[in-house]
Amino acid sequence: MKLLIAAVASLLASAAPAAAADYDIVIRGGRVLDGGGNPWVAADVAIKDGRIARVGQVPGAGAKEIDARGRYVSPGFIDMQDQSGRSLMENSGAESKLRQGVTSLIAGEGGTPVPADEIAGWFDSLEKNGIAVNFGTYYGAVQARSKVMGDRAGAPTPEQLEIMRQEVAKAMRAGVFGISTALIYAPATFQSAADLIELAQVAGRCNGFYVTHLRDESDKLLPAIQEAIEIGEKGGVKVEIYHLKAAFQPGWGKLMPQAVAAINAARARGVDIAADMYVYTAGGTGLNVTVPSWVWADGREKGLERLRDPAVRARIKKEVAAGSQADWSNLVVAAGGWDNVVLAGSYSPDYEQYEGKSIAYIGKQLKKDPADVAWDIVLAAQPNRASALYFMMSEKDIETALRQPWTSIGSDASASDRMTAEDGRGRAHPRAYGNFPRVIAEYVKKRQVLTLEEAVRKMSGWPAQRMGLSDRGLIREGMRADVIVFDLDKLQDTATFDRPVAAPTGIDDVIVNGVATIEAGKVTGARPGRVLRHPCNLPATAR
């Protein structure tokens, strides 16, 4: 009888439903870095319904349990200069970001891929279709300009400026974080500080930002910073400088300390200004920026026509050799010559074999002037944009900028689901695959420029506070559960200029809004990301 009772009890127990888990995920026994710069503490982290439910000793069970003993637990990283406005619609898995521990993207240097009155619908479609990371953006001031003036130089009329203000107001109401500029690129370079102040004032009514790729990052870096400060002060907006750098070989060790001093002085008098940066000695952009701005003053097609004219080429070669102009940042001189300008993407079978080689080297091989080589490649790439790497920065200046408490981290790169070799689109910049882990691997572990706590703060708590994301960026109860788990000993960026498409190591668990997107090193395919909308209550009639 006892055996029969025991058998029946066992059968009933096996048939009973399992007790419901207390939490969706519990991360056990990790060294928790809260994102605020505090020392780590040993704790469990419980996640439920997309939020951090408990930090400390967690007696309850999780539907999913992660053993983090010997590893660190931190907030997900925030990419302060993302370029995924367009690519995220195709690369919604954002694997290149997730594998770096990035869970939120702030895009918009070039604006949005849709006009101002379509931004709200675009946001909705991103969420409806699913994205693996959180995403917010700025609206490009040049978008508003181009709507009424095209891509030519010139000053707007009062009527045109009024339309631009209305476009900015539409974008702000849709939830962008402010307006952006990239003032070394035509036609954005034709926008004056006075025009930008007018547009910034609209963003300022929503506590928005003026974020800028400065007009000059080389020998005229300091006047460019002062222009940004002036726009911020007169426009009533917060100012963010994109990829802070001293990109001028003759000024290494001098310009960056002066730039830091200028920003600190502005902050001391109440200007809300900060900057983000990537941690590489080369920038990456189009080869078309190697010609003066006046070449593009009558639009792109006219500019390409000028580049085909030998007489025009003779003139601009002299101007390239002479240095920067008032409205043009000469990246060839900033890099120290064509030897330090490396072809990245040619978009041409005639030049594909030379990708990864300097323009000076290609010129020797083809027995041509390096300038002619560069501009021939620009023409051959049409309608695509040939790109190059410009080795313009020094490690010492990177360290100086990185030490500032108000700098955050941005990749200047778009999200990609491509984690294998190149596919004919040219060479990527390694920042697209390694920028965030490199901050820790190179500047915490190797160079000891930052503490681990400060590095994590720069990539999580500080940018969240900066952007007004009050429920993200920290490991605290009630916060959105954007969380990563990493092994400090194994954490390493592996992407290089020679092999840029390479995943980092050491980050094996990534959680976005309480859902695992990378689990034990494997991408789950989940799309739990949300659009980050900046609040703005401008009435429909306001501008």
Side-chain angles (χ1 to χ4, degrees):
M1 177 60 81
K2 290 182 179 180
L3 289 174
L4 178 60
I5 293 174
V8 171
S10 177
L11 182 62
L12 291 174
S14 64
D22 300 283
Y23 304 101
D24 299 323
I25 301 174
V26 176
I27 304 170
R28 298 283 182 189
R31 299 172 180 179
V32 177
L33 293 158
D34 70 351
N38 295 307
W40 65 266
V41 296
D44 304 329
V45 177
I47 296 169
K48 187 175 180 63
D49 297 330
R51 293 186 181 269
I52 296 172
R54 187 164 182 171
V55 181
Q57 186 176 4
V58 177
K64 185 190 304 292
E65 297 261 340
I66 298 174
D67 183 357
R69 288 175 296 179
R71 296 191 290 167
Y72 288 84
V73 181
S74 84
F77 301 148
I78 299 173
D79 190 337
M80 287 288 276
Q81 197 202 352
D82 171 72
Q83 298 282 10
S84 300
R86 190 174 300 279
S87 69
L88 200 60
M89 292 186 283
E90 297 179 359
N91 294 269
S92 61
E95 185 174 350
S96 63
K97 302 288 184 176
L98 292 175
R99 289 204 175 275
Q100 295 182 68
V102 173
T103 57
S104 295
L105 316 178
I106 307 296
E109 179 190 15
T112 58
V114 298
D117 53 5
E118 296 179 20
I119 291 174
W122 169 53
F123 282 167
D124 290 342
S125 68
L126 285 175
E127 288 192 329
K128 180 180 178 181
N129 295 331
I131 50 178
V133 289
N134 304 307
F135 175 82
T137 188
Y138 302 100
Y139 172 72
V142 73
Q143 291 179 260
R145 175 189 170 92
S146 295
K147 177 168 183 173
V148 294
M149 298 184 66
D151 61 355
R152 297 169 180 263
T157 66
E159 293 76 17
Q160 289 173 325
L161 195 56
E162 175 60 24
I163 294 173
M164 293 181 202
R165 291 192 198 97
Q166 293 172 6
E167 292 300 296
V168 171
K170 290 177 191 175
M172 293 303 301
R173 283 193 289 268
V176 302
F177 283 85
I179 61 169
S180 65
T181 60
L183 297 177
I184 72 164
Y185 303 115
T189 191
F190 305 130
Q191 291 183 291
S192 69
D195 294 343
L196 292 171
I197 289 167
E198 292 285 338
L199 302 185
Q201 287 173 346
V202 180
R205 295 180 63 182
C206 293
N207 194 32
F209 284 82
Y210 170 72
V211 57
T212 180
H213 179 148
L214 295 168
R215 200 175 293 276
D216 195 306
E217 298 173 318
S218 55
D219 58 330
K220 297 182 180 65
L221 173 63
L222 299 180
I225 290 175
Q226 292 302 332
E227 179 187 48
I229 292 170
E230 178 190 6
I231 292 168
E233 287 188 296
K234 294 181 179 179
V237 286
K238 294 172 281 192
V239 179
E240 178 80 7
I241 295 174
Y242 272 144
H243 46 53
L244 179 64
K245 62 172 76 78
F248 186 58
Q249 228 182 52
W252 286 354
K254 303 173 187 176
L255 281 174
M256 182 57 76
Q258 293 173 333
V260 166
I263 293 170
N264 280 332
R267 289 183 61 83
R269 68 171 186 268
V271 180
D272 191 350
I273 180 172
D276 52 70
M277 60 185 295
Y278 52 78
V279 287
Y280 296 85
T281 57
T285 191
L287 263 179
N288 58 324
V289 302
T290 61
V291 299
S293 299
W294 65 263
V295 173
W296 313 105
D298 296 308
R300 175 176 168 274
E301 291 305 320
K302 182 63 176 179
L304 295 174
E305 179 184 329
R306 286 172 175 152
L307 268 189
R308 296 184 183 98
D309 186 336
V312 172
R313 284 202 182 191
R315 174 185 168 183
I316 60 180
K317 284 177 187 177
K318 292 179 181 178
E319 294 183 10
V320 169
S324 297
Q325 300 172 3
D327 64 345
W328 174 55
S329 182
N330 188 335
L331 299 193
V332 180
V333 169
W338 292 107
D339 284 306
N340 297 319
V341 181
V342 173
L343 179 62
S346 66
Y347 292 93
S348 167
D350 294 335
Y351 298 100
E352 189 174 295
Q353 62 181 309
Y354 297 113
E355 290 174 357
K357 304 296 184 183
S358 74
I359 300 298
Y361 172 86
I362 301 169
K364 290 177 182 177
Q365 298 303 302
L366 299 178
K367 296 180 172 55
K368 295 172 69 173
D369 186 311
D372 285 319
V373 168
W375 304 332
D376 286 348
I377 293 173
V378 169
L379 294 171
Q382 296 304 312
N384 296 302
R385 183 178 183 235
S387 61
L389 301 173
Y390 298 81
F391 287 83
M392 305 178 291
M393 287 80 79
S394 75
E395 281 288 356
K396 181 179 178 182
D397 286 339
I398 290 173
E399 292 181 7
T400 297
L402 200 55
R403 287 190 178 98
Q404 307 312 309
W406 37 259
T407 53
S408 56
I409 306 301
S411 69
D412 198 6
S414 60
S416 178
D417 294 334
R418 176 178 61 123
M419 300 300 295
T420 55
E422 306 290 344
D423 60 1
R425 291 182 292 177
R427 292 193 174 206
H429 193 300
R431 64 193 178 195
Y433 293 87
N435 191 54
F436 287 82
R438 181 173 171 79
V439 171
I440 295 175
E442 184 72 16
Y443 297 95
V444 174
K445 294 201 298 182
K446 183 178 178 181
R447 296 174 182 261
Q448 299 180 343
V449 173
L450 301 173
T451 64
L452 178 60
E453 292 83 357
E454 176 65 2
V456 169
R457 184 192 72 86
K458 281 180 172 291
M459 296 188 286
S460 57
W462 165 235
Q465 180 182 356
R466 178 83 173 130
M467 299 306 299
L469 304 175
S470 59
D471 58 351
R472 298 186 191 272
L474 298 172
I475 302 291
R476 290 182 188 165
E477 293 179 9
M479 302 293 282
R480 299 280 182 182
D482 297 336
V483 183
I484 67 173
V485 183
F486 64 89
D487 186 321
L488 182 61
D489 293 334
K490 295 179 180 177
L491 187 66
Q492 185 65 53
D493 59 305
T494 65
T496 65
F497 287 106
D498 291 329
R499 185 173 171 264
V501 182
T505 59
I507 302 174
D508 293 323
D509 291 280
V510 179
I511 297 164
V512 178
N513 293 315
V515 177
T517 54
I518 293 182
E519 187 175 358
K522 295 182 179 179
V523 176
T524 67
R527 301 287 192 273
R530 296 288 180 268
V531 171
L532 305 172
R533 294 173 173 86
H534 181 72
C536 177
N537 295 318
L538 273 178
T541 55
R543 52 84 179 153

